[in-house]
Amino acid sequence: MPPTILLADIGGTTTRIARAGLDGAAFDVRVEPNDGYGSLEEMFGAYLGSLSGERPRAGVLAIAGPVDGDDVRMTNRAWSFRRPALASALGLDALAVLNDFAALAHGVRSLGRSDLIQVGVGHAKEGAPILVCGPGTGLGTATLIPHPEKKSYEVLPGEGGHVRLGAVTADEARIVAHLVRELGPVSVEHVLSGPGLVRLHRILSGETATSHAIIQSALGGHARELESCHVFLRLLGRITGDYCLLVRALGGVFIAGGVGAAMAPLFAASPFRKAFEEHPPYHEHLASITVQVVVHPTPGLVGAAAVGRRLLAAL
C-alpha cells in the first residue's frame, strides 16, 4: 500500500479524522465526539488501532486554537500536547500542526460549486486577499495573502473571535449590556458561535435550547428561533464586513464553521448581506465582494490534505 498521511480537523466539540495519499483524497473518514475521549492520544490511538495495512507515516492536525510552537493548547477544550511527543506516541515520522481556520484557508480555493452557497452578488478579484471566517464552537478567522510573483497565497492565521464586540443599534446595545453583566468584557465569539447563539436566543426570547434545536426550528419557520438566527446573521454580517475592511478582501469571503454551514439556507432572507455592506463610506467597496458559505462536510480535511501532500512528498 502506498504511504499515507493522518489528517484531523479538531474542533471544540467534534473531531474529523481521515487518511489520505499523495492525491490528497481523504478516506477512512470518521467523525468522533470529543467527549468520548480523555485526550487526543486516546482518540488517535483508537483510530489507528482500527486500521488495516501500513500505518500513516506523517500527520497534519488542524486544531481550534493558536499554534505558536511545539506546545499546543486548545481554546475551547482542556486538551494540550507537545507536537514531538504526540508524533512519537503515534509512530509518525513527521507531524504538522496548524490552526483550524488556517487549514480551512489552505483548502477553500479547491472547493467546487456544490461545496459553496453564494450570498448576494459580488465577484472575486484575482490575486487579492481572501478572508475565511465563521462560527462553530468559537469563531475562527484566517486570511489568504497573495504572492503575485509566485502565483500563490500565504495563509495568515488570526484570532478574530476574541476581538471585543460593540453595538450599533439599540437591540445590539441591550444584548451587549446583558452579556457584560453575565460575562464581563464581551468578545465576538461570545455571540457568534454555537454557545453564543444559545446565549442570544435566551436574551431575546427568554427560552433555553441547544444551538442545533434553535437552527432546526428556524429552518422550520418558527418565529422566535428565526428572529434569533436573523439577529445572529446580522451581527455576523457586520463583523465579517469589519474584517473585510481590515484586509481589503477583494478576493472574496468564505464563511465556514459548523454553525455557518447549518444556517446556510437562512442567509439569503436574513439581514446578513445588508449588514455586511453597510459600512459607510465603503458600501460600494463591500457590495462588490463575493461571499460564499462553505457547506462541504469536511472542509478542514481538504485543507489539511493540501498541506499533507507536500509533507508526504518530502519524506
Coordinates of all heavy atoms in Angstrom, one line a residue, residues 69 97 173 228 251 273 287 310:
G69 N 4.1 27.2 18.3 CA 5.3 26.4 18.6 C 4.9 25.0 18.8 O 3.8 24.5 18.4
V97 N 1.2 20.8 12.7 CA 0.0 21.2 13.5 C -0.3 22.7 13.1 O 0.6 23.5 13.1 CB 0.2 21.1 15.0 CG1 -1.0 21.6 15.7 CG2 0.6 19.7 15.4
A173 N -27.2 47.0 21.6 CA -26.7 47.5 22.9 C -27.3 46.8 24.1 O -26.6 46.5 25.1 CB -27.1 49.0 22.9
S228 N -34.0 35.0 16.3 CA -32.7 34.9 16.9 C -31.6 34.6 15.9 O -30.6 35.2 15.9 CB -32.7 33.7 18.0 OG -33.6 34.1 19.0
G251 N -10.6 39.4 -2.9 CA -10.6 38.1 -3.4 C -11.8 37.3 -3.0 O -12.0 36.2 -3.5
R273 N -26.4 40.1 4.4 CA -25.7 40.9 3.3 C -25.8 42.4 3.5 O -24.9 43.1 3.2 CB -26.3 40.4 1.9 CG -25.6 41.0 0.7 CD -24.3 40.3 0.4 NE -23.3 41.2 -0.2 CZ -22.3 40.8 -0.9 NH1 -22.0 39.5 -1.0 NH2 -21.4 41.6 -1.5
A287 N -20.0 45.9 -1.4 CA -21.1 45.3 -2.3 C -20.4 44.6 -3.4 O -21.1 43.7 -4.0 CB -22.0 46.4 -2.8
R310 N 2.3 17.9 0.5 CA 3.7 18.4 0.5 C 4.6 17.7 1.6 O 5.8 17.4 1.3 CB 3.7 19.9 0.7 CG 3.0 20.7 -0.4 CD 3.3 22.2 -0.3 NE 2.6 22.8 0.9 CZ 1.4 23.3 0.9 NH1 0.6 23.3 -0.1 NH2 1.0 23.8 2.0

